Amino acid sequence: MRSISIIFAVLAANMLVVSATVQWKDSISRFSTDLLRKKHRNQQTEKFSTIMNRLKPALAKDPTENPLYVELPMDHFSADNTDTISCRYFVQEAYYKPGGPVIFHDIGEASIGPYAKGLVDEDEFSVAIAKRFNGLLILFEHRFYGKSAPVTSTSRSLGTASRRQLSEFFKYHTIEQALEDVVYFAKNFTYDLEEYPTQVLTPDKTPWIWIGVSYSGARGAWIAKRNPGLFKATLASSAPVQLKVNFWEYFTAIEDALAIKNKNCSADLSAAARWLSDAWENRDSSLVDQLIDAVYERDWEESLEQYEADSDEIWDIRKDYLQDAAWTPFSDFQYYGVNGGTLGAFCDIMETMYSSRGDPDGVFETQTLSRAVTAYAKAVAAISPYSYTSRRQQSQRKEKRQLNTGSGSLDDRLDDYSWLWQVCTEFGAFQVANTSRPENLLPSFINVQSSIDSCISTFGESEQVSKAGPNVDPINEKYQGWYVQLSNTMWTNGEFDPWKALSIDSEEEDAPTNDTATTDIPQCGKTFPEGTQLRYVIKDGYHGSEFSEDVVTNSPGDLDGLDPTNTIRSLTATRTRTKTALTGTPVVDATNAQNLWFDAMSSWLPCTTLQFNLDGSLPETTTSAPFSSRTPFQTGGSDEAAQTSGSSDNINDKENAAPSLAIPSLMIPFFGSIFAFLAGIRVLV
Ligand SMILES: *[C@@H]1O[C@H](CO)[C@@H](O)[C@H](O)[C@H]1NC(C)=O
Ligand SMILES: *[C@@H]1O[C@H](CO)[C@@H](O)[C@H](O)[C@H]1NC(C)=O
Ligand SMILES: *[C@@H]1O[C@H](CO)[C@@H](O)[C@H](O)[C@H]1NC(C)=O
Ligand SMILES: *[C@@H]1O[C@H](CO)[C@@H](O)[C@H](O)[C@H]1NC(C)=O
């Protein structure tokens, strides 16, 4: 009795959101796994406060505790609308020296709160970049995530807002508005540097560098196409640039990994998907209710007596639970793969349920259906703390406590709603079953139609959310999807990252075959022959592996910028490096991607041929001569040298491209390390 009323209380407010479990897993699992990783790392080392200790007292404001806000136009594309949206960002200034770049770390579809903690962690890739290049590091929060949204009655309580209120609230939450946010932010950027009060940090005077993973990696590529030259270099990591509504291919990477590592588990997950599909289609509740009972609700079967047997209502609730159960084994695969995360834990329990060594053919093949479902239920129950449902319940309990204390701030679930809005309107990428494939891992009821239904039941039908599903065409057409070709951009992907299937490195059937990857770094403003770009697929890597793996630093405390031997030493260090089991096997090859990026930045930063060519005009004060007075990138020599050279550079003067620019301290490590890098790969592969 009690439990059913709780279920309905929960589902009445949230059923629509619950049923949309699949498509927003990216942001949810990124968030929690990142925290796990940090926590673990914290226990292992005490690196966190190293730079804080070295800061001069006058500079010692803790960047992790100092959120800044910028007012941006709510609607960039209409002068009539004078509303604004306030976006949060954090700045790490400790490494900055004049001539150094602004490193713009875009977080994309998540609150930046947890990431801010990493601003004082020198093992963080973004911090290591700032340190190495004397950069000013900015963490930027995307509109409608974290604290970057208007506080209204709708956003204070998203669960109780009407559909109309939700779609009104998210009306200006579009890919284009959010890209223009960055343009506006960069052009107007000022920052009070106590040591260098006259330094101008806008992109016409200081090179801006984009780094981002996943959606924010794609954003980096889109900005590079849209506003060429605004960023002098772009790292588009694990960037799904080819948007698709039906993204069943998400699972092909998981299938591949399972086929290599756990054939029996692969067979069982496919069998479970078939069983769940049949049970749903035939309305056969017998074993299904046992599963729900074991994983979610102790009194589920008794509670059912209160309701008309097998009503659609009950089956809808069952479906929500089954979706969650079927998804949970894969919930963090994109970060940890088979062995490090929930999938490995699931497989170990499932496969050894009836014999300690397991059966190579799997449990569904060798046991009765009832015994197989029991094993499946136990294995799902064991990993259920990682399920979406369990996280949602936690956040609801938290919300209850907050309600009691009268909190008037943004709803905790803002990021979830916000990403769902993007998925439902422009992004698509529904991670669904493809039951015509024998390897399929999901039940048939996780499909495009049910995803669209969730969208409509959450946001209603509107100009932006329609029965036809998300409209991915405009973005694909404007930015050329996976055919896009960009200069000064490095693309990375993880070999086993499911999102790779939508990236420039996709191996799916419809992916480009007329393009080529190279690890030679093209000159500034150039790409190699048609179709050839700087790309690197990280061996055994996952989603954003070069960001999630620590940078191997050779001498902690060294603030003197680029060291010619860094790259080579890091490469050697990698092979002896160990990490414990929580994060799975370390992705050794991530270091090579990090180093390739360091080299690419070294090559592109000093170049002046990439035009600062924006759609609109620059702010008055800086239009006269884009980049002409920019101080060249400086790597630890005296400030004076940097101030004078390069002051007469002409933006159209091709001779100023990287190789002809005389900054030996830069060029030597560049050439030196690229060879070491390539040699290193050969050794490692
Ligand atoms: C900020 O930049 C935009 C151009 O993107 C410009 O229209 C606007 O006037 C700038 N605002 C300020 C305060 O400089
Ligand atoms: C069966 O699954 C177990 C547990 O995940 C795994 O250790 C074992 O290697 C698998 N065996 C086969 C033949 O796939
Ligand atoms: C499902 O997979 C089959 C076989 O790989 C493929 O031909 C088909 O296009 C896929 N379905 C969809 C909707 O893409
Ligand atoms: C590759 O093929 C696509 C689609 O036909 C085309 O748009 C693109 O220009 C081609 N790229 C190259 C480098 O030939």
Side-chain angles (χ1 to χ4, degrees), residues 10 55 140 161 232 413 455 493 496 508 592-593 649:
V10 166
L55 292 178
F140 184 77
K232 292 276 263 170
R413 290 162 299 174
C455 290
N493 272 294
F496 288 112
E508 298 305 322
N592 291 320
D649 290 348

Side-chain angles (χ1 to χ4, degrees), residues 261-265 344 347-348 351-352 357 359-360:
K261 290 176 174 153
N262 300 58
K263 264 200 153 50
N264 48 4
C265 193
C347 290
D348 288 348
E351 298 311 319
T352 57
R357 300 171 124 225
D359 195 303

